[in-house]
């Protein structure tokens, strides 16, 4: 068996070599237990003593033994100095027998398990699970390294791990192909042949090409065209469904292999072996059916929402137009009533009239005024009918929606078992009856709507239909109506680890993800309660003693102030800008090439087939610039020297994926972590404060995208998207995702923290849009420390484990609004754990799970329980937030970093009016990741450039000035970079690299800390 290359040669060297640790890290980490120390010191010579000690230290860190020649002079000096070894360390004279004996001593002490077939099978099972979720093979590799440590074994060699991953990846496809073999002559597979036929309506176009791209437009013509393609795919799916089910083709497997079809030419599919070609086309059919279901529903929901908004707007405008008339009528009514009362009063007070005449006079007056009042009341009926009028406005949108969606709703398959019965009954009636009558099901309507669909005895068919569309849209969004075949609109439980698997593997999964400590609710909640009670005690004591000078309590509220961190005049003047090149502009191409020399980030752009085809670096750089600077690849091809448009198109198709662009960013971000200058920009060198925020981008008006949404505040009448980006204290942009502007950003917080492999967050902050009580609860369970910026703090509710009266009795100023319902949490604790492990296992993203869960709102026990738990964690944070002004300032400062980086983003993404010009979510993320890649490359170049400046300083004063500027300024600076003009790939400047090439003989400049 030939083994797949899992990581690059450079990454293999890093894996096999000693971890790079600073002197300070070695001093901190190199602590040896007395038992190992005694054994080592009892050995016959200093060399053997050193070897046992150093082998133990590195094994404790990595669960790996290393070639003894890798140990450095710094390692030798550190150990020799600590233990006062006087003799020279002679590594060349060590016996293999002694080294083996030392390994056994270390393993025995650390209780390391032997590498058995059972252990190997556990690794294969883990690799297979990850491979079935199509986790990138490199991520599988490092996941197995971590899993090995949890299994308490010595981490296997690269060769052994590559064998395991190869087995896992190949076994999945081989198993499916073996099951497909008996069906190869089955007539049902003949429907796949249509894809490989020429389209007679177009010259040189294949039928397969018609289905490769999804439509995003919502006009009637495009919707009907989409429906035609959908019914074709649906027919092929239904014919082949029994085969798809039998061979075990899952949605994720189908998605991965369908992407190959989308990228390939038809002749590439044809030349595959018959069985493999059928497998690929089956994958394509299944994937297309699922994705087209979602695509049509996306467009349905978007268009229905537009119709809703339009009818509401029309109603408001009508109401506004009627306002003057309404005011006149009300005034007339008031005047008539007052005039009547005044006249009656005059009659009553008239002493000249007898009682009989008074009564007669008043009767005549009432008769006369009643006619006037009736006329006024008739006018009043006009604006009182505005509520009824709203259904006229709604009905006016019906014909347009019917033309677009009637056929679609009749073709979409809904999951009747998990959906609301009333809405399903109405959909089935709509599907089965060409003519809608007054017998149509109406249980899904509210009482007002049930009345509105009748105009006297006349049944308003058009109104009924549009109200049905409205309710279907709402039901899909709130999770009471689910699709049978979908990636994003299935029943919530379909996304979770099955209850059967959870019952069987619960303990194993909790141990795997180091979450055993939260298994028993009663034990765990006691620790949480103790922590919250302590926070109440400390915060209230500091308020009562006057220590918290920024907190002021009023009778029914309180004021919390956060003083700004003002810079001194010296800090404002002494910035980093003056140290960067000022008399020239450096080519962005040369800068990217320089960073690639240091980080090898271009090696991340592997061919989709994972083949070893040689990469063309110029084409990769040009594609990065085309996407990242928003110039479009065709334009880059036209304005560049040394490349052409056709080459770029091929590079885009086969080398650019979300995963590749993310991995390239990870390489640069990880490289920065090696630089001492980066770590010393943190508030605390051993911690890393991260944050996230969204940046709005308008969508080009000639591009339709289901991922774009309306926001009059940001885009006016146009649509747009949000780039939700993560940054750490050192300005490393470590994750980003393009989302619909109408989506809540909070769910993406967890995805960003979990998906990145390079930046570990000690505390993560977001703005108001980035948190909910559920996010507080879920981040805590997943092991993250969440600290958002809180606006309108006085409106926040506090909770506790005791009643408010209890805290009144303690004399507290800050008391809870309500006692937490721990029983509600306990009743759903097992499901909360299953929910968290589903995310950890990467079965589904946190965002997808939260979208479906929060759509249920009050109807779902798990939603309610997780929210209740989140109230506890949020309360604990709020109490600390009130008590710690430094924490508030740090959060503010960190969020300012991501906000300031937005200006940087706009400068890089300068093309096409800074509007997105690609329609699919995948391509939007590729463009966004490419932009971030350019940003990270500039940030790293700046770090290296300033580090070299520090190496070249001539005196202490100059050094101190640069160090002060580093601490007080931002490393994000780009005024010296030329993004524009002609892009010349025929020649690249070595001088730009020389500006950052560090002197390896010089250590990092002391004094930065």
């Amino acid at each position: 068996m030939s083994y797949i290359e899992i990581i690059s040669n450079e990454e293999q060297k890093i894996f096999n070599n000693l971890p790079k640790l600073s002197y300070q890290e070695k001093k901190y980490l190199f602590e040896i237990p007395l038992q190992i120390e005694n054994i080592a010191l009892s050995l016959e010579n200093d060399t053997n003593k050193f070897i046992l000690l150093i082998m133990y230290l590195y094994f404790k860190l990595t669960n790996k033994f290393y070639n003894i020649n890798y140990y450095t002079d710094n390692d030798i000096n550190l150990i020799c100095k600590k233990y006062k070894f006087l003799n020279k360390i002679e590594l060349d004279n060590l016996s293999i027998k002694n080294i083996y004996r030392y390994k056994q001593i270390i393993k025995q002490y650390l209780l390391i398990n032997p590498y058995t077939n059972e252990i190997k099978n556990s690794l294969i099972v883990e690799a297979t699970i990850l491979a079935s979720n199509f986790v990138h093979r490199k991520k599988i590799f490092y996941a197995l390294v971590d899993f090995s440590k949890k299994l308490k074994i010595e981490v296997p060699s690269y060769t052994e791990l590559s064998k395991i991953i190869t087995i896992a990846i190949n076994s999945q496809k081989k198993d499916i192909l073996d099951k497909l073999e008996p069906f190869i002559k089955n007539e049902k597979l003949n429907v796949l042949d249509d894809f490989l036929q020429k389209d007679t309506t177009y010259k040189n176009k294949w039928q397969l090409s018609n289905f490769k791209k999804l439509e995003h437009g919502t006009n009637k013509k495009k919707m009907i065209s989409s429906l035609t393609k959908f019914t074709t795919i649906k027919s092929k799916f239904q014919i082949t469904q029994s085969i798809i089910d039998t061979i075990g083709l899952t949605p994720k497997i189908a998605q991965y292999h369908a992407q190959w079809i989308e990228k390939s030419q038809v002749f590439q599919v044809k030349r595959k072996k018959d069985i493999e070609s059928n497998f690929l086309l089956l994958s394509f059919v299944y994937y297309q059916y699922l994705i087209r279901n979602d695509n049509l529903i996306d467009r349905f929901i978007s268009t229905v929402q537009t119709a809703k908004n339009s009818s509401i707007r029309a109603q408001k405008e009508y109401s506004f137009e009627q306002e003057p008339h309404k005011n006149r009528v009300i005034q007339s009514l008031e005047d008539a009533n007052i005039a009547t009362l005044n006249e009656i009063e005059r009659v009553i007070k008239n002493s000249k009239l007898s009682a009989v005449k008074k009564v007669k006079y008043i009767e005549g007056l009432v008769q006369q005024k009643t006619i006037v009042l009736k006329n006024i009341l008739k006018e009043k009926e006009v604006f009182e009918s505005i509520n009824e009028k709203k259904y006229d406005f709604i009905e006016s949108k019906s014909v347009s929606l019917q033309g677009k969606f009637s056929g679609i709703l009749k073709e979409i398959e809904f999951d009747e078992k998990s959906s609301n019965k009333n809405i399903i009954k109405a959909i089935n009636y709509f599907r089965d009856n060409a003519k809608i009558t007054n017998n149509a099901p109406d249980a899904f309507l509210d009482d007002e709507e049930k009345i509105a669909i009748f105009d006297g005895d006349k049944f308003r068919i058009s109104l009924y239909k549009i109200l049905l569309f409205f309710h279907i849209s709402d039901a899909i969004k709130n999770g009471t109506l689910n699709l049978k075949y979908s990636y994003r609109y299935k029943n919530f439980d379909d996304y979770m680890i099955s209850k059967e698997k959870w019952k069987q593997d619960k303990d194993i999964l909790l141990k795997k993800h180091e979450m055993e400590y939260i298994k028993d609710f009663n034990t765990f909640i006691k620790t949480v309660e103790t922590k919250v009670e302590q926070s109440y005690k400390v915060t209230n004591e500091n308020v009562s003693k006057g220590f918290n000078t920024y907190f002021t309590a009023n009778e029914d509220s309180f004021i919390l102030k956060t003083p700004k961190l003002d810079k001194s005049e010296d800090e404002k003047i002494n910035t980093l800008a003056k140290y960067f090149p000022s008399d020239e502009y450096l080519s962005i191409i040369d800068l990217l090439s320089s960073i690639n020399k240091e980080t090898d980030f271009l090696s991340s752009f592997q061919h989709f087939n994972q083949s070893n085809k040689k990469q063309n670096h110029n084409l990769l750089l040009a594609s990065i610039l085309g996407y990242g600077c928003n110039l479009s690849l065709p334009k880059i091809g036209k304005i560049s020297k040394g490349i052409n448009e056709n080459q770029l198109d091929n590079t885009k198709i086969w080398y650019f994926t979300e995963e590749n662009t993310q991995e390239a960013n990870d390489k640069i971000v990880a490289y920065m972590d090696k630089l001492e200058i980066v770590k010393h920009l943190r508030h605390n060198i051993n911690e890393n404060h991260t944050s996230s925020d969204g940046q709005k981008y308008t969508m080009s008006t000639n591009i339709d995208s289901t991922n774009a949404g309306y926001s009059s505040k940001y885009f006016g009448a146009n649509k747009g998207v949000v780039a939700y980006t993560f940054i750490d204290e050192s300005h490393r942009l470590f994750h980003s995702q393009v989302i619909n502007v109408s989506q809540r950003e909070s769910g993406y917080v967890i995805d960003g923290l979990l998906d990145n492999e390079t930046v570990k967050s000690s505390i993560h902050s977001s703005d108001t849009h980035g948190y909910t009580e559920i996010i507080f609860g879920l981040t805590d369970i997943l092991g993250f420390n969440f600290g958002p910026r809180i606006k309108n703090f006085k409106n926040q509710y506090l909770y506790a484990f005791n009643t408010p009266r209890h805290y009144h009795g303690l004399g507290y100023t800050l008391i809870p609004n309500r006692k937490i319902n721990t029983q509600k949490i306990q009743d759903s604790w097992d499901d909360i754990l299953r929910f968290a492990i589903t995310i950890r296992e990467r079965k589904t993203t946190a965002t997808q799970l939260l979208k479906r869960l929060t759509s249920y709102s009050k109807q779902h026990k798990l939603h309610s329980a997780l929210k209740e738990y989140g109230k506890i964690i949020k309360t604990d944070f709020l109490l600390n937030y009130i008590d710690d002004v430094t924490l508030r300032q740090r959060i503010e400062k960190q969020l300012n970093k991501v906000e300031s980086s937005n200006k940087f983003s706009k400068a890089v993404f300068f093309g096409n009016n800074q509007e997105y010009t690609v329609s699919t979510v995948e391509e939007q993320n590729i463009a966004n990741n490419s932009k971030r890649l350019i940003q990270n490359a500039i940030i790293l170049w700046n770090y290296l450039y300033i580090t070299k400046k520090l190496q070249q300083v001539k005196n202490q004063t100059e050094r101190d000035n640069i160090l002060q500027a580093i601490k007080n300024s931002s490393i994000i600076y780009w005024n010296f970079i030329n993004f524009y003009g002609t892009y010349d790939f025929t020649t690249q400047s070595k001088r730009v690299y020389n500006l950052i090439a560090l002197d390896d003989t010089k250590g990092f400049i002391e004094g930065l800390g």
Side-chain angles (χ1 to χ4, degrees):
M1 178 189 289
S2 59
Y3 301 112
I4 299 170
E5 183 178 296
I6 307 300
I7 56 178
S8 68
N9 290 333
E10 188 63 30
E11 288 164 329
Q12 288 179 46
K13 288 178 186 176
I14 294 170
F15 172 73
N16 291 324
N17 216 325
L18 296 170
K20 290 188 177 180
L21 302 171
S22 67
Y23 180 77
Q24 288 297 329
E25 285 173 325
K26 286 182 179 180
K27 283 184 69 176
Y28 174 73
L29 296 170
F30 282 16
E31 292 296 325
I32 300 173
L34 187 60
Q35 186 176 338
I36 294 293
E37 193 175 277
N38 289 338
I39 294 171
L41 296 178
S42 70
L43 298 175
E44 60 272 19
N45 60 57
D46 288 351
T47 296
N48 285 323
K49 293 173 185 177
F50 166 77
I51 283 297
L52 176 56
L53 292 171
I54 202 69
M55 283 173 64
Y56 170 81
L57 290 169
Y58 277 109
F59 190 88
K60 183 183 72 171
L61 287 175
T62 64
N63 275 51
K64 288 172 64 182
F65 291 112
Y66 296 92
N67 187 313
I68 59 172
N69 295 318
Y70 290 168
Y71 300 126
T72 67
D73 290 341
N74 285 335
D75 293 326
I76 294 171
N77 293 336
L78 188 66
I79 300 296
C80 289
K81 183 178 179 181
K82 184 175 180 178
Y83 291 98
K84 298 181 174 57
F85 295 157
L86 302 176
N87 298 314
K88 184 179 178 182
I89 303 301
E90 302 280 358
L91 296 180
D92 295 337
N93 297 327
L94 281 163
S95 74
I96 296 173
K97 183 178 178 181
N98 279 347
I99 291 173
Y100 176 79
R101 183 162 62 93
Y102 301 157
K103 285 181 180 180
Q104 298 309 114
I105 291 170
I106 293 165
K107 286 192 207 177
Q108 187 175 359
Y109 176 79
L110 293 171
L111 303 175
I112 300 299
N113 295 314
Y115 187 64
T116 60
N117 283 332
E118 186 180 352
I119 291 283
K120 182 176 181 177
N121 287 334
S122 296
L123 290 171
I124 291 172
V125 168
E126 179 67 13
T128 304
I129 291 170
L130 293 170
S132 66
N133 287 325
F134 286 93
V135 175
H136 194 281
R137 62 187 58 180
K138 189 174 294 185
K139 289 185 178 180
I140 297 176
F141 177 83
Y142 291 113
L144 291 186
V145 171
D146 290 339
F147 191 51
S148 298
K149 295 174 185 177
K150 291 172 184 175
L151 291 173
K152 294 282 285 182
I153 61 167
E154 179 183 350
V155 173
S157 66
Y158 167 75
T159 303
E160 178 67 8
L161 289 174
S162 68
K163 288 178 184 178
I164 289 170
I165 296 170
T166 301
I167 290 168
I169 291 173
N170 290 342
S171 64
Q172 182 189 78
K173 184 176 177 180
K174 184 179 181 301
D175 183 53
I176 291 174
L177 291 177
D178 287 344
K179 290 177 181 176
L180 183 58
E181 182 76 40
F183 294 97
I184 205 63
K185 301 294 184 185
N186 193 302
E187 290 183 359
K188 291 180 179 179
L189 294 179
N190 293 342
V191 299
L192 304 176
D193 295 340
D194 295 342
F195 288 127
L196 307 180
Q197 305 302 315
K198 284 283 183 72
D199 185 343
T200 55
T201 56
Y202 295 94
K203 188 178 179 181
N204 296 326
K205 188 174 183 181
W206 300 88
Q207 290 286 357
L208 184 61
S209 304
N210 292 323
F211 299 92
K212 286 188 176 184
K213 287 190 177 180
L214 291 175
E215 301 79 18
H216 293 261
T218 55
N219 63 48
K220 185 176 179 180
K221 184 179 178 181
K222 289 183 179 178
M223 294 304 301
I224 291 173
S225 172
S226 296
L227 178 60
T228 301
K229 293 178 183 179
F230 178 78
T231 53
T232 300
I233 290 291
K234 180 181 178 181
S235 171
K236 294 183 186 300
F237 171 75
Q238 289 178 333
I239 291 168
T240 58
Q241 185 178 4
S242 60
I243 298 175
I244 287 171
D245 292 342
T246 304
I247 66 176
L249 188 57
T250 67
K252 283 191 175 181
I253 294 172
Q255 181 177 8
Y256 179 81
H257 293 286
Q259 287 175 335
W260 186 88
I261 291 267
E262 289 176 348
K263 294 173 183 293
S264 302
Q265 300 294 321
V266 170
F267 75 86
Q268 292 173 292
V269 182
K270 279 186 165 186
R271 72 185 182 194
K272 292 279 185 185
K273 290 181 180 178
D274 196 29
I275 187 169
E276 190 166 357
S277 174
N278 279 293
F279 161 67
L280 291 168
L281 290 170
L282 280 173
S283 297
F284 185 73
V285 166
Y286 193 13
Y287 170 70
Q288 282 284 314
Y289 187 51
L290 294 170
I291 204 70
R292 286 184 179 275
N293 269 281
D294 289 346
N295 173 265
L296 290 173
I297 290 299
D298 284 340
R299 292 149 80 188
F300 171 75
I301 290 172
S302 173
T303 309
V304 166
Q305 189 61 50
T306 300
K308 268 188 184 180
N309 295 341
S310 178
S311 61
I312 291 170
R313 190 163 54 248
Q315 183 189 351
K316 285 181 178 178
E317 288 172 358
Y318 176 78
S319 179
F320 181 75
E321 288 171 3
Q322 295 297 318
E323 194 68 23
H325 176 61
K326 175 182 176 182
N327 292 335
R328 283 196 304 272
V329 169
I330 291 172
Q331 189 63 50
S332 298
L333 196 60
E334 288 178 358
D335 292 345
N337 286 328
I338 290 170
T340 302
L341 291 172
N342 288 338
E343 291 220 28
I344 290 171
E345 186 180 14
R346 280 198 298 272
V347 170
I348 292 170
K349 289 182 177 179
N350 191 336
S351 57
K352 295 179 180 180
L353 296 175
S354 65
V356 174
K357 284 186 176 181
K358 284 181 182 179
V359 171
K360 191 173 181 180
Y361 193 88
I362 289 170
E363 284 177 348
L365 184 65
V366 169
Q367 246 181 349
Q368 179 189 350
K369 293 297 183 182
T370 298
I371 295 169
V372 174
L373 286 172
K374 280 182 178 179
N375 291 333
I376 295 173
L377 289 171
K378 278 184 180 179
E379 289 187 69
K380 184 171 178 283
E381 287 175 6
V382 173
F383 60 79
E384 283 185 337
S385 68
I386 286 176
N387 192 49
E388 296 174 13
K389 193 78 176 174
K390 80 175 182 181
Y391 290 104
D392 293 338
F393 293 122
I394 291 171
E395 189 174 16
S396 68
K397 308 293 177 185
S398 183
V399 175
S400 171
L401 291 188
Q402 288 177 54
K404 294 176 183 178
F405 297 119
S406 291
I408 289 170
L409 290 179
K410 289 177 181 180
E411 290 294 335
I412 295 284
E413 294 183 79
F414 293 100
D415 183 1
E416 298 193 6
K417 290 183 179 178
S418 67
S419 298
N420 179 281
K421 303 305 177 190
N422 292 330
I423 198 78
I424 286 292
K425 186 177 180 182
I427 291 170
N428 288 338
Y429 178 89
F430 179 79
R431 178 182 293 144
D432 298 337
N433 293 272
K435 186 177 180 181
I436 305 294
T437 70
N438 59 6
N439 293 322
D442 64 356
F444 66 95
L445 298 171
D446 63 34
D447 291 341
E448 184 183 283
E449 290 167 340
K450 288 176 182 176
I451 295 169
I453 59 175
F454 285 94
D455 182 5
D457 293 332
K458 182 184 176 184
F459 183 62
R460 300 170 69 177
I461 298 172
S462 287
L463 179 59
Y464 176 86
K465 286 181 179 180
I466 193 170
L467 289 175
L468 175 61
F469 290 171
F470 282 8
H471 279 273
I472 289 172
S473 176
D474 290 340
I476 292 171
K477 288 191 289 185
N478 68 31
T480 55
L481 178 61
N482 303 303
L483 271 64
K484 192 173 182 181
Y485 299 102
S486 167
Y487 281 110
R488 294 186 287 108
Y489 294 108
K490 292 189 296 181
N491 179 34
F492 172 72
D493 281 340
D494 291 340
Y495 295 103
M496 295 271 279
I497 292 173
S498 69
K499 290 182 179 179
E500 294 73 22
K501 180 174 174 56
W502 177 244
K503 186 177 180 181
Q504 177 184 324
D505 298 337
K506 176 180 174 179
D507 290 341
I508 296 170
L509 291 169
L510 287 171
K511 184 177 181 180
K512 172 184 169 183
H513 295 288
E514 299 176 344
M515 292 170 64
E516 309 103 303
Y517 69 98
I518 64 174
K519 178 184 175 182
D520 181 73
F521 175 78
N522 290 321
T523 304
F524 174 66
I525 205 68
K526 282 291 180 188
T527 63
V528 176
E529 181 178 356
T530 301
K531 189 171 184 292
V532 174
E533 291 299 310
Q534 182 66 14
S535 294
Y536 265 111
K537 183 172 185 281
V538 171
T539 302
N540 276 287
E541 282 181 356
N542 287 336
V543 168
S544 64
K545 292 177 181 178
F547 296 153
N548 191 337
T549 57
Y550 298 103
F551 176 87
T552 307
N554 299 325
E555 287 185 10
D556 57 349
S557 182
F558 56 82
I559 299 170
L560 186 67
K561 295 179 180 178
T562 304
K564 291 185 178 180
L565 289 169
D566 292 325
K567 291 184 177 180
S568 67
E569 286 305 311
D570 288 341
E571 291 173 330
K572 290 175 184 176
I573 296 167
N574 191 9
T575 65
L576 273 177
K578 64 182 179 182
Y579 296 105
F580 288 108
S582 58
D583 56 350
E584 62 178 327
Y585 287 100
L586 307 184
S587 161
I588 184 62
I589 298 171
D590 290 338
L591 186 145
L592 290 171
S593 297
S594 300
I595 294 304
N596 185 57
K597 283 184 182 178
E598 287 292 322
T599 64
D600 192 32
F601 71 83
L602 288 179
S603 66
S604 297
F605 292 90
Q606 295 294 319
H607 194 280
F608 187 80
N609 282 341
Q610 301 293 336
S611 62
N612 293 322
K613 291 184 179 180
K614 190 175 180 181
Q615 303 157 310
N616 184 315
H617 282 194
N618 285 341
L619 290 172
L620 293 174
L621 289 175
S623 300
I624 290 168
L625 288 171
Y627 273 124
C629 293
N630 201 32
L631 293 168
S632 83
L633 269 62
K635 184 174 181 179
I636 280 283
K638 289 181 175 70
I639 66 175
S640 300
K641 293 180 181 179
I643 58 172
N644 66 59
E645 195 175 326
N646 290 336
Q647 290 174 314
L648 277 178
D649 191 55
N650 185 65
T651 300
K652 175 193 82 171
I653 290 170
W654 288 107
Y655 289 91
F656 273 70
T657 64
E658 288 185 60
E659 291 78 13
N660 288 354
T661 49
Q662 175 65 42
E663 185 186 322
N665 273 285
D666 288 347
K667 280 192 174 179
I668 296 177
V669 169
Y671 185 94
M672 280 191 254
D673 204 41
K674 300 175 185 177
L675 302 175
E676 288 294 320
I677 187 174
V678 173
K679 295 176 185 176
H680 282 270
L681 287 179
R682 298 175 186 167
H683 177 80
N684 183 328
I685 195 169
N686 295 318
E687 295 180 359
N688 191 17
H689 196 152
T690 61
S691 58
S692 55
D693 193 22
Q695 184 175 16
K696 312 295 187 297
Y697 287 91
T698 304
M699 182 65 63
S700 180
T701 53
N702 64 334
I703 299 294
D704 291 314
S705 173
T706 56
N707 197 42
Y710 288 106
S711 174
S712 56
K713 179 180 178 181
Y714 297 106
F715 312 127
N718 296 328
K719 285 186 174 183
V721 294
V722 174
Y724 195 64
T725 302
F726 291 68
I727 192 171
D728 78 345
E729 282 184 279
S730 307
H731 298 280
R732 296 183 296 168
L733 300 160
F734 62 90
H735 184 79
S736 192
Q737 196 164 356
V738 181
I739 63 178
N740 193 301
V741 69
S742 61
Q743 290 179 345
R744 181 89 191 210
E745 295 173 355
S746 53
Y748 293 93
V749 167
I750 293 172
D751 280 347
L753 292 172
L754 280 175
D755 284 355
N756 98 89
E757 306 290 333
T758 51
V759 172
K760 300 305 173 191
S761 175
S762 304
I763 177 172
H764 183 80
S765 297
S766 72
D767 218 330
T768 306
H769 297 291
Y771 78 84
T772 61
E773 285 161 340
I774 282 185
I775 296 300
F776 267 103
L778 194 53
T779 49
D780 183 74
I781 289 168
L782 291 170
F784 297 110
N785 192 2
F786 186 47
R789 175 165 59 192
I790 306 292
K791 288 186 178 180
N792 301 319
F793 197 91
K794 63 182 180 181
N795 298 329
Q796 300 296 325
Y797 275 46
L798 297 176
Y799 302 86
F801 289 88
N802 294 294
T803 62
R805 183 181 297 178
H806 169 79
Y807 300 92
H808 271 298
L810 295 173
Y812 286 177
T813 302
L814 282 160
I815 59 172
N817 299 81
R818 178 172 74 72
K819 180 183 177 182
I820 211 75
N821 187 343
T822 52
Q823 189 61 49
K824 180 188 286 188
I825 305 168
Q826 186 171 8
D827 290 346
S828 295
W829 190 244
D830 198 57
D831 279 335
I832 289 175
L833 295 182
R834 183 163 68 104
F835 184 86
I837 292 295
T838 297
I839 295 170
R840 279 286 186 193
E841 283 285 285
R842 301 176 187 270
K843 186 179 188 300
T844 315
T845 65
T847 305
Q848 181 61 52
L849 271 178
L850 287 168
K851 275 182 189 175
R852 298 312 284 161
L853 179 65
T854 53
S855 65
Y856 288 94
S857 193
K858 298 174 184 177
Q859 300 170 347
H860 206 288
K861 277 180 64 181
L862 176 57
H863 178 278
S864 181
L866 196 49
K867 185 175 182 180
E868 193 76 2
Y869 179 72
K871 289 173 181 176
I872 302 173
I873 306 305
K874 181 181 174 183
T875 296
D876 187 59
F877 168 72
L878 292 177
L879 292 168
N880 286 291
Y881 191 82
I882 291 168
D883 197 48
D884 190 346
V885 65
T886 305
L887 172 64
R888 299 200 299 275
Q889 289 175 323
R890 282 181 60 198
I891 290 171
E892 194 73 33
K893 183 178 179 181
Q894 182 58 29
L895 283 168
N896 287 341
K897 287 184 179 179
V898 70
E899 288 171 4
S900 66
S901 75
N902 288 345
K903 187 178 178 182
F904 185 25
S905 296
K906 291 280 188 179
V908 173
F909 202 67
F910 63 86
N912 288 299
N913 299 317
Q914 300 174 333
E915 296 177 340
Y916 269 87
T917 58
V918 288
S919 58
T920 66
V921 177
E922 181 185 18
E923 204 164 7
Q924 288 167 10
N925 279 322
I926 289 171
N928 186 47
N929 283 343
S930 297
K931 168 178 64 68
R932 185 163 57 91
L933 183 61
I934 295 169
Q935 291 177 267
N936 277 324
I938 293 169
I939 292 167
L940 174 53
W941 195 94
N942 290 351
Y943 271 129
L944 292 169
Y945 183 81
I946 294 298
T947 303
K948 185 160 187 176
K949 284 281 185 188
L950 285 168
Q951 288 185 340
Q952 295 173 336
V953 292
K954 296 174 181 177
N955 55 62
Q956 187 63 40
T957 301
E958 188 179 349
R959 174 182 298 161
D960 291 342
N961 286 340
I962 296 176
L963 293 174
Q964 195 64 32
I966 291 170
K967 291 181 179 179
N968 299 327
S969 305
S970 171
I971 199 70
I972 297 178
Y973 188 74
W974 66 92
N975 288 3
F976 59 92
I977 298 169
N978 179 21
F979 290 107
Y980 316 105
T982 299
Y983 294 93
D984 189 349
F985 293 93
T986 60
T987 177
Q988 290 172 17
S989 169
K990 292 181 180 179
R991 194 180 64 78
V992 177
Y993 172 68
N994 291 334
L995 289 171
I996 61 169
L998 302 181
D999 185 346
D1000 291 336
T1001 64
K1002 293 186 179 181
F1004 187 69
I1005 309 303
E1006 293 182 4
L1008 185 58

